[in-house]
Every structure is written in C-alpha cells, then in structure tokens.
Amino acid sequence: QKEVEQDPGPLSVPEGAIVSLNCTYSNSAFQYFMWYRQYSRKGPELLMYTYSSGNKEDGRFTAQVDKSSKYISLFIRDSQPSDSATYLCAIPYSGGGADGLTFGKGTHLIIQP
Amino acid sequence: KAGVTQTPRYLIKTRGQQVTLSCSPISGHRSVSWYQQTPGQGLQFLFEYFSETQRNKGNFPGRFSGRQFSNSRSEMNVSTLELGDSALYLCASRGAGLANYGYTFGSGTRLTVV
C-alpha cells in the first residue's frame, strides 16, 4: 500500500464551482500535511500546509485534515480557469523533520470557462 | 530573492552513460531534496541532504547518488542510464524551523534517455 493515495483524475468542473480534492494516507504518525500546485512544465509550488487535524483557510482555498480517518482535503471556492493545474498532496516523512516528502500521484484539475 | 535554480533544463543522454544534475537552493536554505517525476509513478523522493549529510534516501537503486557542498548547492548523479530513467528531476530546498516546512521547488531538469 502506498503511503499516500490520490485519485489522478482528470477532474473537470465549470468555472465558479466548488472543487474538492482528496488524499488518504496510511501512517498515523504523520503530523504535517501539504498541498502543492503544479502547472505544466513547472515545478510544484506550495499552496498550504496544516498541522494535525482541523481546517486552515487562505483566500479561496481551505485545507482540511481528519486524522481519525487519515483523510486530507483541499477545497477551492469560486474556481477560476487559472486554477487548472495538477494538485498534489504531500507529507513529510519524519513528521516534520528535514527528511523529504512523500507525494500523492496528483489530481489533474480542469476548470472550464 | 532568487528561487531554486536547476541546471541544465533539458538533457538527452544515451543508455549506459552517466549524468550529473545541479541544484542551487534559495540563499540561506540548508536542506535540499531531490525527486523524480514520471507520468506513471508521479513524484518520488530520491534523497535529502542537510549540511552536507544525507538525511534520508528513497527506494532507488545505487545508480542514483547525490552530494551537497558546503555552500548548500547539490548535485545528483545517475550512472549507467536506463531508458526508464527518463523523467523530470526536481530539486527542492527548505529553510530551518517550524515555520518553514514548505519546500520550494525548482523548475526541474528534463532528462531523456535514448
């Protein structure tokens, strides 16, 4: 079983819709959770990170962690065509230490104008 | 401030050759990690360096190696290239402290093995 599972999509929604992106993970020791966005031919860029359970909001983006079910989500409100990209969930190997990240495979999101 | 710089951007090599990729982290960042990205496997962790010491290594064969210099710049080397090594190789750097868990990625080196 992979440490982090993510539906690769593609996920296609109309402009203005609320988007829900999700990942599950296997190691209950994981504490930090990140979401990256990657545009074509670019490196991933950090969108948000959260610690432990709960919600974190930043503009149109909300990250949610449910440690009891080992489930992490990213919600995008009022989606825009510029949000079309691949979204990757990522978790540090050592619960936050400088030991690298394990990634989901990424969900390819398409926002239709 | 300047971001993470990877050179070269594109590379074409022949099976059996070796290749060295370079990464300059953000000024002041001492952690550098490397990843391989392919359509089939996604982003996979190769290794992480901190202050010239390898902290962690992913599940890749010994043909993949890396090092970090005293100025935090890092290189990764792949020997005896195989067709399956064709991928985007990404480098990321990270600052110290709890507020800096986000890694900043470079744009990658696209390696094609023919």
Side-chain angles (χ1 to χ4, degrees):
Chain A
Q1 180 187 11
K2 273 187 70 72
E3 290 179 298
V4 183
E5 300 276 4
Q6 185 177 10
D7 186 339
L11 176 62
S12 182
V13 301
E15 182 176 353
I18 296 175
V19 176
S20 172
L21 303 165
N22 309 292
C23 290
T24 58
Y25 62 93
S26 58
N27 190 339
S28 58
F30 289 151
Q31 297 277 13
Y32 289 86
F33 307 91
M34 302 173 183
W35 285 96
Y36 280 82
R37 177 176 62 193
Q38 185 175 24
Y39 291 112
S40 180
R41 301 185 184 280
K42 298 284 189 182
E45 58 176 326
L46 179 67
L47 269 179
M48 299 181 71
Y49 74 84
T50 54
Y51 172 72
S52 195
S53 286
N55 292 1
K56 184 175 182 179
E57 190 173 317
D58 184 2
R60 296 185 295 112
F61 298 88
T62 300
Q64 189 174 80
V65 176
D66 181 350
K67 292 197 73 181
S68 62
S69 55
K70 301 194 191 80
Y71 198 81
I72 57 178
S73 301
L74 178 70
F75 299 96
I76 307 175
R77 292 183 300 280
D78 187 25
S79 56
Q80 304 294 312
S82 58
D83 295 327
S84 297
T86 296
Y87 290 80
L88 302 119
C89 56
I91 303 175
Y93 273 108
S94 64
D99 288 341
L101 299 170
T102 180
F103 281 88
K105 281 198 173 182
T107 299
H108 182 47
L109 175 65
I110 301 166
I111 307 297
Q112 304 162 342
Chain B
K1 59 182 174 183
V4 177
T5 303
Q6 291 188 247
T7 56
R9 287 297 308 276
Y10 302 93
L11 209 48
I12 300 175
K13 289 287 189 178
T14 304
R15 268 182 306 174
Q17 287 186 313
Q18 75 163 16
V19 67
T20 299
L21 311 182
S22 180
C23 173
S24 293
I26 289 173
S27 178
H29 284 190
R30 295 164 65 188
S31 290
V32 174
S33 53
W34 288 88
Y35 300 82
Q36 181 196 66
Q37 187 172 32
T38 59
Q41 298 299 317
L43 260 163
Q44 292 185 286
F45 171 70
L46 280 157
F47 24 69
E48 163 109 3
Y49 286 88
F50 178 78
S51 292
E52 302 178 67
T53 300
Q54 187 178 90
R55 287 278 301 260
N56 196 11
K57 189 176 192 299
N59 188 25
F60 278 82
R63 301 184 296 107
F64 292 81
S65 63
R67 59 178 176 168
Q68 186 180 33
F69 302 96
S70 59
N71 61 359
S72 294
R73 191 177 70 84
S74 179
E75 290 180 347
M76 68 162 282
N77 183 275
V78 188
S79 62
T80 319
L81 283 166
E82 300 176 359
L83 295 179
D85 297 332
S86 295
L88 180 67
Y89 289 88
L90 291 157
C91 166
S93 73
R94 197 197 82 140
L98 290 174
N100 292 292
Y101 281 111
Y103 289 78
T104 301
F105 282 80
S107 294
T109 294
R110 173 77 60 185
L111 172 64
T112 302
V113 182
V114 297

